[in-house]
Amino acid sequence: MTEESRPAFAAERRERILELVRANGSMSLRDLAAKVRASEVTVRRDVRAMEAEGLLDRRRGGAALPGRMGHEQSYAGKSGQCAAEKAAIAAVAARLVRPGDAVTIGPGSTAEAFARALLGHGDLTVVTNSLRVADVLAGAMGIEVVMTGGTLYAPTRALVGTAAEESLAGLRVNRAFLSGNGVSADRGLSTPNPAVASVDRALSACAEETIVLADHTKVGADTMVPTVAPEEIAHLVTDSSADPEVLMTLEETGALVHVTVVAGERGQ
């Protein structure tokens, strides 16, 4: 490659990086590097340069569009991302549920995958504010579904507001399963919307322990409103593409980290 061609190649690579982040909202450096067929060091340098131009925001281990801290992506958009990883995370998380348990489940596409993994579990009570979770479990043998009240928040298909929070007050369950939009050792679990965050806190507060379900794109990311403090996360279930350094910092806060391998990665 000549010196003259290098800037053009870098420009093309950065344009592709921007396209990928725009399509997904945020992406890890590892995923970006794989997509543009460059090293993580090169992509990190690209992201740093693009941040200086105001095109991207750097996140620990990844990149996001500017202003994503308070942005909630559509449910349809999130459902198509990391589907295999979410299914693997859900399968591992389902092993943490015991017969006779009462659990709370928050909203989100990972939580919906978790609900599917619970099908076949008997003697279980599920309290949720997620319409998608309730729909998955509706009619499941041996599973009683209790929904909160509240006002529908369309981007997450969740019930929020005072009625939702009040319906959770005084309840006591074994475990809370929450996803959110980011999880870090500094701020714990977080989400872009204050109303969703308030109900997530209530779902966690009535549980003996809180389990966070987060694919690798959320690990190390921060969004606007914290919901569960780092020291209150008993378990984190994620996939093998998560940044190991971030996972170590989360373990140091007391979380037991479960790393699942996606089916297609086994045997490689």
Side-chain angles (χ1 to χ4, degrees):
M1 181 182 292
T2 66
E3 290 294 328
E4 289 77 9
S5 66
R6 284 176 184 164
F9 179 76
E12 291 170 4
R13 186 177 63 244
R14 290 174 186 179
E15 183 177 350
R16 177 60 177 153
I17 289 171
L18 186 57
E19 289 175 354
L20 289 165
V21 175
R22 281 175 175 167
N24 294 280
S26 63
M27 288 187 70
S28 68
L29 292 177
R30 181 180 301 181
D31 285 351
L32 286 170
K35 291 289 187 182
V36 302
R37 298 183 179 180
S39 70
E40 287 188 39
V41 172
T42 297
V43 170
R44 184 179 289 108
R45 185 167 57 244
D46 287 338
V47 169
R48 187 179 296 114
M50 295 167 77
E51 182 183 49
E53 297 175 21
L55 298 173
L56 295 176
D57 282 347
R58 279 188 296 166
R59 297 282 185 265
R60 186 167 184 174
L65 291 179
R68 299 295 292 189
M69 192 70 78
H71 176 79
E72 182 73 70
Q73 190 180 5
S74 71
Y75 197 97
K78 290 187 290 186
S79 297
Q81 296 177 14
C82 302
E85 288 86 346
K86 291 172 183 176
I89 288 167
V92 170
R95 297 175 198 155
L96 300 175
V97 178
R98 302 287 179 265
D101 273 357
V103 303
T104 57
I105 304 177
S109 53
T110 310
E112 182 182 350
F114 172 63
R116 290 195 192 94
L118 292 179
L119 295 174
H121 280 61
D123 193 16
L124 181 65
T125 300
V126 172
V127 182
T128 186
N129 67 324
S130 167
L131 299 185
R132 296 294 186 117
V133 167
D135 187 54
V136 168
L137 297 175
M141 292 292 293
I143 300 179
E144 180 181 1
V145 179
V146 179
M147 290 208 70
T148 70
T151 302
L152 178 62
Y153 178 62
T156 58
R157 304 297 192 269
L159 298 174
V160 300
T162 302
E165 295 170 44
E166 289 180 348
S167 65
L168 293 164
L171 292 185
R172 194 63 179 165
V173 301
N174 301 98
R175 295 168 186 85
F177 293 86
L178 302 174
S179 54
N181 295 63
V183 58
S184 69
D186 294 330
R187 299 179 72 235
L189 187 65
S190 62
T191 191
N193 184 271
V196 174
S198 292
V199 182
D200 276 359
R201 282 192 286 268
L203 290 165
S204 176
C206 64
E208 294 175 2
E209 62 177 10
T210 297
I211 293 100
V212 171
L213 315 177
D215 67 67
H216 63 277
T217 65
K218 299 174 183 176
V219 173
D222 282 330
T223 50
M224 190 169 70
V225 189
T227 58
V228 182
E231 62 274 12
E232 294 174 355
I233 299 173
H235 300 262
L236 168 65
V237 188
T238 188
D239 61 85
S240 57
S241 293
D243 188 326
E245 292 184 8
V246 177
L247 296 182
M248 287 179 63
T249 62
L250 285 161
E251 285 182 323
E252 289 170 359
T253 68
L256 180 59
V257 176
H258 307 258
V259 178
T260 181
V261 178
V262 178
E265 296 176 350
R266 294 190 178 97
Q268 291 184 357

